[in-house]
Amino acid sequence: MHGVFGLRGRLSDKSDQTEIIHMKNIAVLVSGNGTNLQKIMDAVKSGALKACLTLVISDQEKAFALKRARKAGVRNILLDPKEFLTREDFERKLVELLKREKIDLVVLAGFMRILSPYFVKQFKNRIVNIHPALLPAFKGARAIKDAWQYGVRVTGVTVHLVDEKVDHGPIVAQEALEIREGESVEVLERKIHKLEHRIYPAAIRRLLSGAYQVKGRRVIFLSR
Ligand code: GRF
């Protein structure tokens, strides 16, 4: 069975009419710098992304992303895995927090933990991740360096739904960029991040703006 996602909107009652507002709850999970989080927060603030950024959760106390959330006035929580006996306990707490806030879409933005099948099942086809390479090439935490070292002429960015396997779920958006001759890995990193910052808010907007269906490896958008 395939689910259809995104049909929920919230109803706001105006005196003479009922207007459907497709404002949905998102949570962003982070571990590091949080430049993608920043772009998502900026897009929400400017209205380019019609979502309610309800919660930012970090598994790292020192994550600069937490400071960004604080500065933007977004509710933020540190969930330190060291305070839990097992990964299951940690994830159970994570699920509890997300469900309590009625999160529609869980956005991973540099969240450096592999989520278990238990977690994935709780938010089936409602977890999205960004990966700094053209999947299925260069999976893993060193994707930019790996692509550069391999000598590929083209790499890019992938936004995908999260399934039980790492860097594997159905692709939501993908964009390529060229690696020029003599280009350093630092320059490539900058280009990749710039691309990420453009395509992640746009892909999230697409996921939230209407319904989508997941059929096998394909994400099918049911509305424009
Ligand atoms: C990004 O390169 C993203 O593709 C990867 O982790 C990095 C996070 O960067 N999953 P930032 O914390 O958003 O700056």
PDB file of all heavy atoms in Angstrom, residues 59-61 79-85 90:
ATOM      1  N   ASP A  59      21.604  16.603  18.430  1.00  0.00           N
ATOM      2  CA  ASP A  59      22.165  15.546  19.281  1.00  0.00           C
ATOM      3  C   ASP A  59      23.547  15.960  19.787  1.00  0.00           C
ATOM      4  O   ASP A  59      24.214  15.194  20.465  1.00  0.00           O
ATOM      5  CB  ASP A  59      22.234  14.208  18.516  1.00  0.00           C
ATOM      6  CG  ASP A  59      23.221  14.274  17.370  1.00  0.00           C
ATOM      7  OD1 ASP A  59      23.470  15.377  16.842  1.00  0.00           O
ATOM      8  OD2 ASP A  59      23.760  13.214  16.985  1.00  0.00           O
ATOM      9  N   GLN A  60      23.970  17.173  19.412  1.00  0.00           N
ATOM     10  CA  GLN A  60      25.300  17.656  19.813  1.00  0.00           C
ATOM     11  C   GLN A  60      25.165  18.974  20.570  1.00  0.00           C
ATOM     12  O   GLN A  60      24.634  19.950  20.024  1.00  0.00           O
ATOM     13  CB  GLN A  60      26.180  17.903  18.579  1.00  0.00           C
ATOM     14  CG  GLN A  60      26.474  16.676  17.754  1.00  0.00           C
ATOM     15  CD  GLN A  60      27.305  15.653  18.501  1.00  0.00           C
ATOM     16  OE1 GLN A  60      28.206  16.013  19.253  1.00  0.00           O
ATOM     17  NE2 GLN A  60      26.988  14.377  18.289  1.00  0.00           N
ATOM     18  N   GLU A  61      25.689  18.969  21.762  1.00  0.00           N
ATOM     19  CA  GLU A  61      25.604  20.168  22.596  1.00  0.00           C
ATOM     20  C   GLU A  61      26.264  21.373  21.926  1.00  0.00           C
ATOM     21  O   GLU A  61      25.778  22.491  21.995  1.00  0.00           O
ATOM     22  CB  GLU A  61      26.284  19.874  23.935  1.00  0.00           C
ATOM     23  CG  GLU A  61      26.035  20.921  24.974  1.00  0.00           C
ATOM     24  CD  GLU A  61      26.744  20.603  26.279  1.00  0.00           C
ATOM     25  OE1 GLU A  61      27.341  19.511  26.395  1.00  0.00           O
ATOM     26  OE2 GLU A  61      26.695  21.453  27.173  1.00  0.00           O
ATOM     27  N   LEU A  79      19.163  16.902  22.544  1.00  0.00           N
ATOM     28  CA  LEU A  79      18.853  15.535  22.960  1.00  0.00           C
ATOM     29  C   LEU A  79      20.169  14.764  22.899  1.00  0.00           C
ATOM     30  O   LEU A  79      20.608  14.349  21.815  1.00  0.00           O
ATOM     31  CB  LEU A  79      17.798  14.952  22.011  1.00  0.00           C
ATOM     32  CG  LEU A  79      16.963  13.800  22.539  1.00  0.00           C
ATOM     33  CD1 LEU A  79      16.203  14.203  23.792  1.00  0.00           C
ATOM     34  CD2 LEU A  79      15.990  13.321  21.475  1.00  0.00           C
ATOM     35  N   ASP A  80      20.810  14.649  24.039  1.00  0.00           N
ATOM     36  CA  ASP A  80      22.159  14.089  24.080  1.00  0.00           C
ATOM     37  C   ASP A  80      22.095  12.567  24.194  1.00  0.00           C
ATOM     38  O   ASP A  80      21.627  12.034  25.208  1.00  0.00           O
ATOM     39  CB  ASP A  80      22.889  14.679  25.295  1.00  0.00           C
ATOM     40  CG  ASP A  80      24.363  14.326  25.307  1.00  0.00           C
ATOM     41  OD1 ASP A  80      24.748  13.397  24.568  1.00  0.00           O
ATOM     42  OD2 ASP A  80      25.114  14.978  26.048  1.00  0.00           O
ATOM     43  N   PRO A  81      22.580  11.865  23.173  1.00  0.00           N
ATOM     44  CA  PRO A  81      22.512  10.391  23.193  1.00  0.00           C
ATOM     45  C   PRO A  81      23.200   9.787  24.426  1.00  0.00           C
ATOM     46  O   PRO A  81      22.830   8.710  24.870  1.00  0.00           O
ATOM     47  CB  PRO A  81      23.252   9.981  21.916  1.00  0.00           C
ATOM     48  CG  PRO A  81      23.247  11.184  21.066  1.00  0.00           C
ATOM     49  CD  PRO A  81      23.224  12.375  21.962  1.00  0.00           C
ATOM     50  N   LYS A  82      24.156  10.518  24.978  1.00  0.00           N
ATOM     51  CA  LYS A  82      24.888   9.996  26.144  1.00  0.00           C
ATOM     52  C   LYS A  82      23.971   9.867  27.370  1.00  0.00           C
ATOM     53  O   LYS A  82      24.279   9.154  28.312  1.00  0.00           O
ATOM     54  CB  LYS A  82      26.074  10.902  26.481  1.00  0.00           C
ATOM     55  CG  LYS A  82      27.183  10.845  25.436  1.00  0.00           C
ATOM     56  CD  LYS A  82      28.474  11.458  25.922  1.00  0.00           C
ATOM     57  CE  LYS A  82      28.455  12.956  26.059  1.00  0.00           C
ATOM     58  NZ  LYS A  82      28.358  13.707  24.776  1.00  0.00           N
ATOM     59  N   GLU A  83      22.877  10.574  27.310  1.00  0.00           N
ATOM     60  CA  GLU A  83      21.951  10.503  28.446  1.00  0.00           C
ATOM     61  C   GLU A  83      20.944   9.367  28.339  1.00  0.00           C
ATOM     62  O   GLU A  83      20.067   9.215  29.182  1.00  0.00           O
ATOM     63  CB  GLU A  83      21.218  11.841  28.593  1.00  0.00           C
ATOM     64  CG  GLU A  83      22.140  12.900  29.165  1.00  0.00           C
ATOM     65  CD  GLU A  83      21.520  14.273  29.179  1.00  0.00           C
ATOM     66  OE1 GLU A  83      20.296  14.371  29.011  1.00  0.00           O
ATOM     67  OE2 GLU A  83      22.285  15.238  29.341  1.00  0.00           O
ATOM     68  N   PHE A  84      21.106   8.568  27.298  1.00  0.00           N
ATOM     69  CA  PHE A  84      20.195   7.438  27.119  1.00  0.00           C
ATOM     70  C   PHE A  84      20.999   6.144  27.123  1.00  0.00           C
ATOM     71  O   PHE A  84      22.120   6.104  26.631  1.00  0.00           O
ATOM     72  CB  PHE A  84      19.430   7.578  25.794  1.00  0.00           C
ATOM     73  CG  PHE A  84      18.535   8.785  25.773  1.00  0.00           C
ATOM     74  CD1 PHE A  84      19.042  10.026  25.407  1.00  0.00           C
ATOM     75  CD2 PHE A  84      17.208   8.693  26.146  1.00  0.00           C
ATOM     76  CE1 PHE A  84      18.235  11.152  25.406  1.00  0.00           C
ATOM     77  CE2 PHE A  84      16.386   9.808  26.149  1.00  0.00           C
ATOM     78  CZ  PHE A  84      16.906  11.041  25.772  1.00  0.00           C
ATOM     79  N   LEU A  85      20.388   5.104  27.678  1.00  0.00           N
ATOM     80  CA  LEU A  85      21.110   3.840  27.778  1.00  0.00           C
ATOM     81  C   LEU A  85      21.314   3.192  26.413  1.00  0.00           C
ATOM     82  O   LEU A  85      22.379   2.674  26.109  1.00  0.00           O
ATOM     83  CB  LEU A  85      20.331   2.880  28.685  1.00  0.00           C
ATOM     84  CG  LEU A  85      20.621   2.991  30.176  1.00  0.00           C
ATOM     85  CD1 LEU A  85      19.772   1.999  30.947  1.00  0.00           C
ATOM     86  CD2 LEU A  85      22.115   2.764  30.452  1.00  0.00           C
ATOM     87  N   PHE A  90      16.894   6.540  23.057  1.00  0.00           N
ATOM     88  CA  PHE A  90      17.104   7.867  22.457  1.00  0.00           C
ATOM     89  C   PHE A  90      16.041   8.142  21.392  1.00  0.00           C
ATOM     90  O   PHE A  90      15.395   9.181  21.378  1.00  0.00           O
ATOM     91  CB  PHE A  90      18.517   7.934  21.846  1.00  0.00           C
ATOM     92  CG  PHE A  90      18.772   9.158  21.016  1.00  0.00           C
ATOM     93  CD1 PHE A  90      19.131  10.365  21.606  1.00  0.00           C
ATOM     94  CD2 PHE A  90      18.663   9.114  19.627  1.00  0.00           C
ATOM     95  CE1 PHE A  90      19.371  11.503  20.836  1.00  0.00           C
ATOM     96  CE2 PHE A  90      18.893  10.248  18.847  1.00  0.00           C
ATOM     97  CZ  PHE A  90      19.250  11.442  19.459  1.00  0.00           C
TER      98      PHE A  90
END
